[in-house]
Structure formats: C-alpha cells, structure tokens
Amino acid sequence: MFDDPSLRFWDAEAAIWERTLLAVANPGYSFLGWSSTPALTFSPSALSSLTISRPTSGSSVTANFSTNSYNLETQHESNDGSVSSSEGNFSHGEIVSLTATPSLNKDFSHWETIKSNDYTVTMGQSSIFGSLPKISIDRRESPSLNLVRGYTYQFNVQLEEDNPFYISTSEYNDDTFADEYLGGVTNSRITNGVLTFSVPINAPNQLYYHSAKYSYSGNLIRILTKSDSHVLPHPNDSEIQVAIDHDIQLKAVFKDEEHKLSITSNNGGSVNFSEGIFPDGATVSVTATPDSHYNFVRWEGNDAINGVTNPFISITMTEDENIRAVFAPVLYPLSVSTDPALSGVIETTNNQFEFPYGTEVEITLYPKSNYTFTNWSGKVTNPNAKTTTVLIESATEIVANLTQAPVDLAINPVTLSVTGMPMEDPSAGGTIEVPDNAKVGQQVLLQAVAKEGFYFSGWYHQDGKQLSSAHSTYLTFSADTSISAIFNQKSVSVKIAVKDPTTGKFILNEGVDSYTELSIPVPLGEKMMIHSLAAPGYEFMKWTIFGSGIRTSGNKTLELDATTDLEVEVQYRQLIPKLSIVVTPETSGFIPIGSGEKNQNGPHIIMAQPLNGYKFDRWEGEGIENHKNPTTVVDFNVDSSIEAIFKRIDVEYPISSSSAISSREDWIETTWFGYYFWNSSLGNWMYHESLGWTYFYKQAQSINQHNTWLWINDWEDWIWISEDFAVNGGTYVYSFNRGWLFLDFVNQIKYSFSSAQWEQM
C-alpha cells in the first residue's frame, strides 16, 4: 500500500516521483514481495514490505501475498480409543470438528494442548523474483508464522554453512546481528541443526526470522497470547470444534473407565465413606456400623447385595452404584404375665410387646371374672394401679399379681329316656358326688355312678357344651356355673317291616296305629308285642326275627324281649279262592279239570265230560267265558260255585265216525287215531290195535265234535283225546296220570313231555 493513498496518481513532470510503499499482510496471509510494470527499482529491496520506488508514467506496482495454511495434528493412544477428524492443513479462521471415541472399558478424559511444534527450514527461490533466495518453512515460501507465548518451537535448519539462521526484532538483517533476538532461543545462528525457540511471556508482539547471507529472505513472526481456554474452550468434551489461527497439536487423552459409588444410610448407623470414583473392575470394601441400640438390617442396591445382612461387603465396580445401608432400632421384649396364670389380660400400647430403647409403654390389666388385682411386680411407675407405665431400656419382665374369688356350683343329675326326653325322676339313671363351691382356677372332683339299665353320658355346661365324658373327672371353674350330669336309658334298635307293604300292616303293643315299617329305640330288656294285620285277600304267613341269630314264628302276635338290636319282618300270603262245580243231573257226567283252588299261573280252565247216554249242554254261573263250550275258562276272586248241565242222548257213536274208514268188518281205520275194533254189542268198549282194550265216552253227536275220554286198560289210566290235536299219523293226548303225550300210530311209539323221552307204545 502507498504511504498516502491520495497520491496514487500524480504529475510525473511537476511532482516528486519517488514514493515510499508499505505492505501489511492481513491475518492468514504472508507478504512475498513487490512487482511492477514496467520494471521499477525498489530500495532497499523488492522483498521488503517497506520500500521506496520511483514510478514512471503509467507504472503499476503490485504487492504480492500468499495464503497461509496452518497444520492441525492430533495424537492418541490407539489401544485407548480413536479420533475422527480432518487432520491436515487449514486456512486461517477455519473451524475444524474433532471427536474422540474411547475403546471398551475406557472413558474419554480430556483434550491436551501440545505446546510445541517442529518446522523444517531450507532455502528456496522467490516465486516473484526467481533470482532471489527465500527461506522455505515446511516447503512453503517464507510464510509468516503465528507463534504462541509459552509454546516451544523447534526449527530443523538445513542451510549452507555460511548462512546461519536466527530470529530478529527487525525486518532488516545485516552482518552485525545487531537486532538478533535471543530470548528463549537455543542454538541461534545455526546452519545445520535445531534452533529451539521457547516463546517467553514477555516476547514482543512481532519478530522476524532471517538467514544471515540473504537479506529479506525471511518473514514476520507474530507472537500471540493464547490461554488454554482460548485454544480449547471445552477440553473435557469428547466432541470439540477448533478455530484455526496457528499451528496446533492436540492429544486426546483416555483413561480407564471409572464408576461412581454412592453410599447412604438411614438413621441408626453409619458407613465408612459416602462416595468415591473407582476404576472399572475395582473391588471396594464397604462397612456398615450400627449405633448403640440399633442393628444393621440389610443392604439395598443392586441385585448382588439386595437383602444381604452382612455389614461387611465387597463391591466389584462395573457401573455406577447407589447403595443404602438400612439400620433398625433394637426391639427389646416386654414380657407380661399374670399370677396365677390366665387370671387376667394385659394390654400394652398398640398391643405391642417389643419396643425401641427409651420407649415409655403404658400397660393395663383386665382381671378375669372372680379375680381381683393386687399389684405389679417389676420396674413400673405405679405398682398399685391397674394402668401404669414401663420405661424400656432392655428386656423387661412385668408380672400382675391377682387373687382368686370363690365360685358357686349348681350340679344336678338329668336322666333321659330312650326318646331323649327327661324322665320324671332325674336321679333314675344314677347318682353324683360333687362339691357345693370352689375357687377360681381350682380343680374340682366330680363323680357319677350309673344305675343298671342306664349309662353316664357326661358333664354338660349350662350352654350345652360337654365338659367331660368321664364318670370321674377334675374340672376348673372361673365363674359361678350350672352343670348337668346326664344319664341315658340304655336301648336297643328295633326295626319292623312288612316284606310286601301291599299285603298288610302291623300294630305295636297296645297301640292303635298300624305301620308297614317302623324303626324305634326300645329300652333294654323291655317286652314287646307285635300284632299282624293282613290286608283284604291276604292272610298271615310268618314272622322272621334277625338278632343274635335268625328265627321264625307262626303266631299272629309276636312277643319279644328287647335284649339286642333286632330286625323283624312279617310276611303275608294271598288267599286263593276255590271253585265248586255241580254236575246236573247227577251221574250224567264228571269234571276232570276245574274244581278246587284257582289257577295262579294263567286262566282257570274248566272241563265237563258227559257219561254214557249223555251229552254236555251248558255251564251256569258267574265269570264263565263260553257257556256252551264244555272246555272253557272262568274268572273268580272269591270262593264260587258253578253248574255243569248235561242232556241225555239215545244213540252212541264210535270214535271219530265222521272220519272213520271201514276196511274190514267191524274194524275202523281213522286218519288220526289208528285202527280199532268195535260193534254195538261191545257197548263202550273197543279194541285198539296199538292200545289194547279201551273204554270210551262219546261226548257229542255233532260231526265236528271228535273228542272224548278213554280208559286204557293196559295203562290203567284215563286219556283225553281230540281230533283238534291230531297230526298225520298221530295225535296229542292228555293222560290223567302222565300229563301230555304224543301218540305216533305209524311207528307205534309215544313221547312223554313230562319225562322228555320216547317209549314203545
């Protein structure tokens, strides 16, 4: 820049044409030298920021600057963590972000400013005037340097042997080193080696570096005042931003991961420390100490120590921990009792019996009935008052003393009958021996003796509760009491039942009520009378008695002695009506089936058979199904009488004349009853080819009636035959003695249904 900007233009003929020029580099830039067109002369040098030139008409002078770059370097221990950044060269005022990331089990500690830097010093050529030598700093053409007070810089000098490197207070260098600056400088004027510059706090704000051989080959050194907080406003943050205005070296410092241990406690004790910072994995011993009259209860905190009751523990630090020691007051027992025992109730404050040291406890005695309070034994405030206080300083025992009062006893016998009702004479069941009075809590002897036929049930309180079942017992009373000594009449269980309730009932003793079933208790040894009562249509059959054994009786009235449990069963049977059949006229016929008791297994069949010279006419009477059929059924429920009426006939017919086939004289062949010989001279006799001599009764003249009774002389038996029961070559017949038979006239054999066998005819 000109010495006076207003004089940048002038009249070269009339005005002074020699001008002084001064170039001042802005922060972040370095002045490199002057250039002009046409080429002008600069004094003392075109490389000097302050120079004099004689411009000519139309001259142009240029001040040449270069941009400074500042180096940012970071350091860290690779095993401890890493740093992410754009490490390198940056422009003046540029903001650079850095992030420090710790490794496993490590924590970030802080950023550290490294207050030193190294530069390499060599000789190079001016980029403006190639013939002029220039000092090169880290291969940069004579840059201006920003150095910080308190920092140390090392210049690794590599110059010719006759060209020493040094620091000066003046931009101008000469051979006398008159302006050489030596504050904090080691090895000044070195040509090949290290010049060390520890920037003093009182160093001037501007210095210069030079080579002695070549004038104006160096440049400006700005001396900056920078506190650590200016360089690193937040050194403890792992993520920072750095403003670049000089060369900076930073170190990310990591440390072993640390954890905070905080320990608290409630009232009643203390711990050996309250908090601390410990490395990861460190083992820390913790102690809880209770105060007097307190106990250590437990630790609270992480899962490893929750509920631990040992006051001495060790904790391995793997994370921040907050633990708490819990103390509780020692609870001293207050033991209270009564003398005599159970003669009263003692209540305390809130009905508690354990208290911390120094607690004043109120106690109150409530005597039981028939006991009176005397005094307290033990350390109480007022031993003669039912309500007093106790000061708890240790385990304490207090006794309430009481005296007994007498009780009145009313003890009476009661005798219950087998029905459970009291008997008129309360002493009928036994006698008792008891006292008239007693004292509260005193054992009293009670005795009971049962009479014959009775047993003692027990001693019962007036509220019905059984006190004892023993004949002789000791009881204790706390108040006036009424007691019953209960005797019970001995009994046996008697169960009476009708086997079939529809057939009848029974009456007990001289009663009027009748029963089909009854279960009652009966006094032991009592006589009983049970009367049978048959239903209409039934009659008494028998008694069956189950007791110590089984026995029966056919008497309608049963007499028993109740000496054991009994079960009695009465059985009735149905009355079977009888049927009487009268034949009219007499000797005109007979009744082979139907007279007598009614058939119980089916219809009652009646049959009328005419004698010789008669035929059946009809039945007369009630309940007959078919009055015209000689074989029919009759229904009756009481003894009854009916009449079978026959009529006389004049002509006799042989058996089954309607189906008879005459094969030879007087021999008759039938389709169902074989061969037989007959003529009128034989009357009712005939000779049967298979059966021999046979006497027959002809029943009817009708051609459709082919049935009769035959007397088989060889069998000495009557048989009843009917063509209705015939099959080819044979017939079913009914034998009066043998029952039903089948006669096979073809094979001359017969089958007996009663014996289930075939026999020769």
Side-chain angles (χ1 to χ4, degrees):
M1 56 184 297
F2 291 97
D3 55 342
D4 186 351
S6 65
L7 299 178
R8 291 181 181 180
F9 300 93
W10 67 92
D11 184 350
E13 297 294 332
I16 299 174
W17 52 274
E18 187 176 82
R19 289 289 183 265
T20 299
L21 304 177
L22 175 63
V24 178
N26 288 331
Y29 293 89
S30 296
F31 175 71
L32 297 181
W34 299 96
S35 61
S36 63
T37 56
L40 301 177
T41 299
F42 296 93
S43 178
S45 172
L47 300 179
S48 174
S49 62
L50 179 63
T51 189
I52 297 174
S53 178
R54 294 179 179 179
T56 61
S57 178
S59 296
S60 175
V61 178
T62 302
N64 296 282
F65 299 91
S66 65
T67 302
N68 287 345
S69 63
Y70 302 98
N71 186 43
L72 172 63
E73 293 183 3
T74 60
Q75 300 177 15
H76 65 277
E77 295 293 337
S78 59
N79 291 333
D80 294 345
S82 62
V83 175
S84 61
S85 69
S86 300
E87 189 179 61
N89 296 318
F90 300 92
S91 300
H92 184 277
E94 191 170 348
I95 304 299
V96 181
S97 296
L98 300 176
T99 301
T101 304
S103 300
L104 183 65
N105 298 325
K106 294 290 183 177
D107 280 336
F108 173 75
S109 176
H110 62 278
W111 293 97
E112 183 179 293
T113 302
I114 300 175
K115 298 181 179 182
S116 65
N117 212 336
D118 296 338
Y119 298 108
T120 299
V121 180
T122 60
M123 290 305 296
Q125 300 295 321
S126 171
S127 60
I128 300 172
F129 305 102
S131 60
L132 297 179
K134 294 283 284 186
I135 294 175
S136 177
I137 302 293
D138 290 340
R139 298 183 179 182
R140 291 177 292 166
E141 180 182 351
S142 58
S144 61
L145 299 179
N146 288 350
L147 305 184
V148 181
R149 289 181 174 89
Y151 284 41
T152 298
Y153 300 90
Q154 292 185 335
F155 295 88
N156 185 11
V157 180
Q158 301 174 15
L159 302 180
E160 303 98 322
E161 291 184 1
D162 59 348
N163 188 21
F165 178 78
Y166 69 99
I167 296 174
S168 173
T169 59
S170 173
E171 181 182 5
Y172 312 106
N173 60 323
D174 54 35
D175 294 337
T176 63
F177 299 104
D179 298 321
E180 181 181 13
Y181 183 79
L182 296 176
V185 178
T186 303
N187 291 336
S188 182
R189 305 182 198 177
I190 192 167
T191 59
N192 191 358
V194 177
L195 181 150
T196 301
F197 181 26
S198 296
V199 182
I201 298 300
N202 59 354
N205 292 335
Q206 288 187 353
L207 293 172
Y208 299 88
Y209 63 90
H210 295 295
S211 69
K213 186 175 181 180
Y214 303 107
S215 298
Y216 304 105
S217 60
N219 211 329
L220 174 67
I221 299 176
R222 294 184 180 91
I223 303 300
L224 308 178
T225 299
K226 293 276 188 181
S227 65
D228 290 346
S229 61
H230 282 104
V231 179
L232 288 174
H234 305 287
N236 296 320
D237 292 348
S238 61
E239 296 183 12
I240 61 172
Q241 290 185 328
V242 181
I244 304 298
D245 63 355
H246 65 286
D247 294 322
I248 299 175
Q249 288 193 66
L250 299 177
K251 182 177 182 180
V253 180
F254 299 95
K255 61 182 178 180
D256 289 337
E257 187 177 6
E258 293 179 333
H259 306 291
K260 182 178 181 180
L261 174 60
S262 298
I263 308 175
T264 59
S265 65
N266 64 337
N267 293 333
S270 60
V271 291
N272 55 337
F273 65 92
S274 60
E275 67 178 23
I277 303 297
F278 300 93
D280 181 72
T283 299
V284 183
S285 296
V286 183
T287 302
T289 304
D291 295 338
S292 296
H293 305 293
Y294 281 84
N295 285 327
F296 172 73
V297 178
R298 66 183 181 278
W299 293 100
E300 293 178 350
N302 61 32
D303 292 340
I305 67 168
N306 271 337
V308 173
T309 57
N310 189 343
F312 306 98
I313 61 171
S314 294
I315 300 175
T316 300
M317 300 301 296
T318 58
E319 60 183 348
D320 291 347
E321 298 283 1
N322 289 287
I323 65 174
R324 181 171 182 260
V326 179
F327 300 93
V330 174
L331 297 180
Y332 294 104
L334 172 60
S335 175
V336 295
S337 61
T338 61
D339 185 16
L342 305 178
S343 58
V345 175
I346 301 174
E347 293 184 356
T348 70
T349 303
N350 297 326
N351 276 332
Q352 295 178 350
F353 293 91
E354 290 183 328
F355 302 92
Y357 176 85
T359 304
E360 187 174 34
V361 182
E362 183 179 271
I363 59 175
T364 301
L365 170 70
Y366 297 94
K368 288 189 176 180
S369 300
N370 299 313
Y371 280 88
T372 58
F373 172 71
T374 302
N375 59 17
W376 296 97
S377 296
K379 189 178 179 180
V380 298
T381 304
N382 187 348
N384 298 315
K386 289 183 182 179
T387 298
T388 186
T389 58
V390 181
L391 182 63
I392 302 299
E393 295 178 324
S394 62
T396 304
E397 183 175 356
I398 303 296
V399 178
N401 301 303
L402 300 96
T403 56
Q404 295 180 340
V407 294
D408 291 328
L409 301 179
I411 305 177
N412 300 299
V414 175
T415 302
L416 302 179
S417 68
V418 294
T419 62
M421 299 300 294
M423 298 181 70
E424 185 175 352
D425 181 4
S427 299
T431 59
I432 59 174
E433 293 183 12
V434 295
D436 294 330
N437 55 60
K439 290 185 177 181
V440 173
Q442 181 185 29
Q443 287 190 332
V444 177
L445 176 62
L446 307 181
Q447 292 180 303
V449 179
K451 295 180 181 179
E452 185 176 357
F454 296 85
Y455 66 91
F456 179 66
S457 175
W459 305 94
Y460 288 82
H461 191 267
Q462 59 194 19
D463 61 5
K465 180 181 178 181
Q466 187 183 60
L467 303 177
S468 174
S469 61
H471 291 76
S472 179
T473 187
Y474 285 92
L475 298 178
T476 302
F477 303 95
S478 60
D480 295 343
T481 305
S482 176
I483 296 176
S484 296
I486 296 182
F487 298 91
N488 287 81
Q489 190 176 23
K490 292 182 179 179
S491 66
V492 296
S493 173
V494 178
K495 297 180 180 179
I496 312 169
V498 179
K499 185 174 183 179
D500 182 354
T502 64
T503 62
K505 296 183 178 181
F506 60 87
I507 298 174
L508 184 63
N509 295 325
E510 302 303 323
V512 295
D513 295 330
S514 58
Y515 309 92
T516 58
E517 185 177 5
L518 185 64
S519 179
I520 56 172
V522 178
L524 181 67
E526 184 173 289
K527 291 187 177 296
M528 299 177 60
M529 295 183 65
I530 312 173
H531 308 281
S532 62
L533 183 62
Y538 293 88
E539 63 180 351
F540 171 78
M541 182 176 177
K542 66 176 179 179
W543 300 95
T544 303
I545 303 99
F546 303 89
S548 56
I550 301 176
R551 60 190 178 91
T552 61
S553 173
N555 296 326
K556 290 186 177 181
T557 296
L558 178 65
E559 294 186 6
L560 294 173
D561 290 330
T563 58
T564 185
D565 291 342
L566 297 174
E567 291 188 13
V568 180
E569 181 182 81
V570 59
Q571 188 173 351
Y572 301 97
R573 61 186 172 190
Q574 188 176 10
L575 289 172
I576 302 176
K578 296 180 180 179
L579 181 65
S580 174
I581 303 177
V582 178
V583 176
T584 302
E586 289 186 35
T587 70
S588 61
F590 67 97
I591 306 300
I593 297 175
S595 296
E597 291 184 348
K598 182 180 180 180
N599 182 20
Q600 300 299 303
N601 298 318
H604 190 85
I605 300 173
I606 55 175
M607 181 181 293
Q609 181 69 49
L611 293 176
N612 190 30
Y614 290 88
K615 66 177 180 179
F616 176 77
D617 183 55
R618 67 186 183 278
W619 297 97
E620 287 189 358
E622 298 293 331
I624 300 170
E625 184 178 272
N626 189 337
H627 288 77
K628 290 297 185 179
N629 196 332
T631 301
T632 186
V633 297
V634 62
D635 185 27
F636 58 98
N637 293 317
V638 295
D639 292 346
S640 302
S641 177
I642 61 174
E643 187 176 6
I645 299 176
F646 298 89
K647 285 186 177 181
R648 189 170 184 82
I649 57 175
D650 297 329
V651 181
E652 298 289 339
Y653 294 94
I655 295 175
S656 302
S657 59
S658 63
S659 59
I661 302 173
S662 179
S663 59
R664 57 186 184 271
E665 188 176 358
D666 296 329
W667 282 91
I668 299 173
E669 179 184 6
T670 67
T671 58
W672 62 280
F673 202 72
Y675 284 96
Y676 65 88
F677 177 84
W678 177 84
N679 59 38
S680 58
S681 64
L682 296 176
N684 283 44
W685 285 94
M686 68 178 183
Y687 183 84
H688 194 280
E689 183 183 53
S690 300
L691 302 176
W693 285 103
T694 302
Y695 183 88
F696 67 92
Y697 288 93
K698 188 66 176 177
Q699 179 172 324
Q701 187 175 4
S702 170
I703 194 170
N704 294 323
Q705 296 292 331
H706 308 297
N707 52 72
T708 187
W709 280 94
L710 298 181
W711 169 262
I712 309 300
N713 202 53
D714 290 343
W715 292 3
E716 296 183 345
D717 193 11
W718 287 95
I719 65 172
W720 179 79
I721 65 172
S722 173
E723 191 175 359
D724 294 336
F725 297 118
V727 295
N728 289 335
T731 184
Y732 291 91
V733 301
Y734 181 84
S735 167
F736 193 81
N737 294 326
R738 295 174 176 83
W740 285 98
L741 304 172
F742 179 79
L743 305 182
D744 184 351
F745 295 107
V746 175
N747 297 303
Q748 296 295 304
I749 57 177
K750 66 177 181 290
Y751 181 82
S752 171
F753 287 90
S754 62
S755 64
Q757 291 182 348
W758 288 96
E759 300 172 357
Q760 290 295 323
M761 196 176 300

